[in-house]
Amino acid sequence: MTFPQRRPRRLRTTPAMRRLVREVRPQPAQLVLPLFVREGLTGSRPIESLPGVSQHGLDSLPAVIDEAATAGIGGVMLFAIPDVRDATGTQACARDGILNLAIDVAAKAADGRLVVMADLCLDEFTDHGHCGVLADDGTVDNDATLEIYGQMALAQARAGAHVLGLSGMMDGQVSAVRAVLDDEGFTDTSLLAYSAKYASAAYGPFRDAVESQLVGDRKTYQMDPANRREGLVEASLDETEGADFLMVKPALPYLDVLADVAAASAVPVAAYHVSGEYSQIEATAERGWIERRAAHLEAVTSMVRAGADIVMTYAAVEAAQWLKENS
Ligand code: PBG
């Protein structure tokens, strides 16, 4: 009879041993919670396709920020839904636009306890739902969009956002926004580039959450799910253009891309466990088919193991609690 030369199971024998040899230990401070603020809403309104997640009014936002800060998470990412949308997304740049008002409220409520980030993209503000403005032929006009992103960035920086999340996948968006911010003296406003953002089926619940008007798809600007190398091209361009953070999105179907980007990047890398990934866990857990807490923690752990420094998840506040209990 031959015996195994090595017995890796020895290191799995007890909870104490497993705890000792664990390779990654996600922390609450790495987590970022996406938040939805709805113009005109009083209190909060649940989002059906994102169980446990709500749209918030400006009035209920401070309590949510306070809860997030108390949980010890690292930041929040604000998205907003305006009452009025138009072809160029005017409300995105308006001083009293809902996102800019929400940034101000959130920054004051956070009071330095967590990082306030804001989504810098036009899709919530355009009546056609695209992430940029349209040319006469109906295609998304990259360079005309960059002009508006610059103005939107200024509005967000003035409102007090610490980090701007460039999620529109326009070429040159990082350098365009950086130049405008620097010109106006906002040299400390950081840029988080959604570098490798794929045209994914997993954004469905998010589009409900922001009441998206999109007809068609975003395949001329978001990446083809088949392309791994291209993720590195996007990431290195963003880093060269001056991005302070890079992001890969969605997360679990793209851990290969995340690992590539994390290995190549000199700046912090984030992963976004997107709405469809979150709701897949929620829906299967609701049926009793998987264990909710374990599934969310496994997702967070996997992103960190693949190289994420920062994890965006709708479960951030609960996950922070679970991580503390498990540590
Ligand atoms: C677009 C944007 C999207 C998400 C965040 N910002 C995707 C899209 O609508 O194409 C998706 C996030 C999620 O699904 O949780 N600017």
Side-chain angles (χ1 to χ4, degrees):
M1 193 165 174
T2 60
F3 291 96
Q5 293 298 302
R6 291 272 316 262
R7 293 184 182 271
R9 286 184 55 193
R10 269 182 211 123
L11 300 185
R12 298 173 205 145
T13 45
T14 67
M17 186 65 89
R18 292 193 292 274
R19 180 163 165 265
L20 179 70
V21 302
R22 199 153 284 152
E23 292 181 37
V24 296
R25 302 166 192 276
Q27 296 293 317
Q30 294 177 278
L31 304 177
V32 173
L33 176 70
L35 287 173
F36 300 102
V37 181
R38 178 67 169 92
E39 186 168 8
L41 182 65
T42 305
S44 60
R45 179 202 293 159
I47 300 158
E48 204 185 332
S49 57
L50 270 177
V53 182
S54 293
Q55 291 182 335
H56 300 283
L58 284 176
D59 62 333
S60 63
L61 189 55
V64 181
I65 299 285
D66 198 56
E67 185 191 30
T70 305
I73 69 168
V76 294
M77 175 67 80
L78 298 171
F79 296 90
I81 304 98
D83 266 338
V84 178
R85 292 166 154 153
D86 59 24
T88 56
T90 310
Q91 283 300 302
C93 304
R95 186 179 282 265
D96 63 352
I98 183 63
L99 181 52
N100 300 320
L101 294 178
I103 292 167
D104 179 56
V105 169
K108 286 180 176 133
D111 195 23
R113 292 176 295 165
L114 49 71
V115 176
V116 174
M117 312 183 178
D119 184 56
L120 201 167
C121 187
L122 285 177
D123 60 315
E124 277 85 76
F125 299 95
T126 54
D127 52 13
H128 44 74
H130 275 292
C131 296
V133 291
L134 304 182
D136 291 341
D137 64 0
T139 58
V140 174
D141 186 335
N142 192 93
D143 296 10
T145 300
L146 296 185
E147 300 275 329
I148 301 178
Y149 282 0
Q151 295 313 303
M152 189 174 181
L154 277 184
Q156 296 187 341
R158 287 190 182 117
H162 302 177
V163 177
L164 313 187
L166 291 98
S167 69
M169 288 301 283
M170 295 300 126
D171 293 338
Q173 60 185 9
V174 175
S175 50
V177 164
R178 185 75 269 160
V180 174
L181 289 173
D182 288 355
D183 264 2
E184 296 290 323
F186 292 103
T187 50
D188 284 343
T189 305
S190 304
L191 301 182
L192 184 156
Y194 288 53
S195 301
K197 175 174 177 181
Y198 288 85
S200 173
Y203 303 146
F206 175 91
R207 292 185 189 170
D208 290 343
V210 299
E211 304 168 29
S212 175
Q213 305 294 302
L214 183 70
V215 178
D217 59 55
R218 306 195 198 283
K219 291 179 183 172
T220 67
Y221 43 105
Q222 297 180 353
M223 290 172 56
D224 187 326
N227 297 352
R228 176 174 178 171
R229 265 193 317 245
E230 194 185 357
L232 273 179
V233 172
E234 287 280 3
S236 72
L237 273 171
D238 286 342
E239 202 177 329
T240 308
E241 288 181 33
D244 301 287
F245 306 84
L246 306 178
M247 182 144 79
V248 174
K249 167 187 178 185
L252 300 195
Y254 299 92
L255 288 186
D256 54 342
V257 179
L258 175 60
D260 287 351
V261 170
S265 168
V267 299
V269 174
Y272 195 157
H273 192 243
V274 302
S275 60
E277 301 182 87
Y278 170 89
S279 290
Q280 285 172 46
I281 293 178
E282 294 298 316
T284 42
E286 202 178 285
R287 291 187 170 200
W289 291 352
I290 59 169
E291 201 193 312
R292 182 170 173 270
R293 169 179 169 144
H296 279 301
L297 284 177
E298 186 175 338
V300 170
T301 301
S302 298
M303 290 178 253
V304 173
R305 190 195 64 238
D309 304 290
I310 296 162
V311 168
M312 273 181 68
T313 167
Y314 297 95
V317 168
E318 271 182 297
Q321 190 55 43
W322 296 331
L323 291 172
K324 279 184 249 174
E325 287 167 13
N326 285 4
S327 71

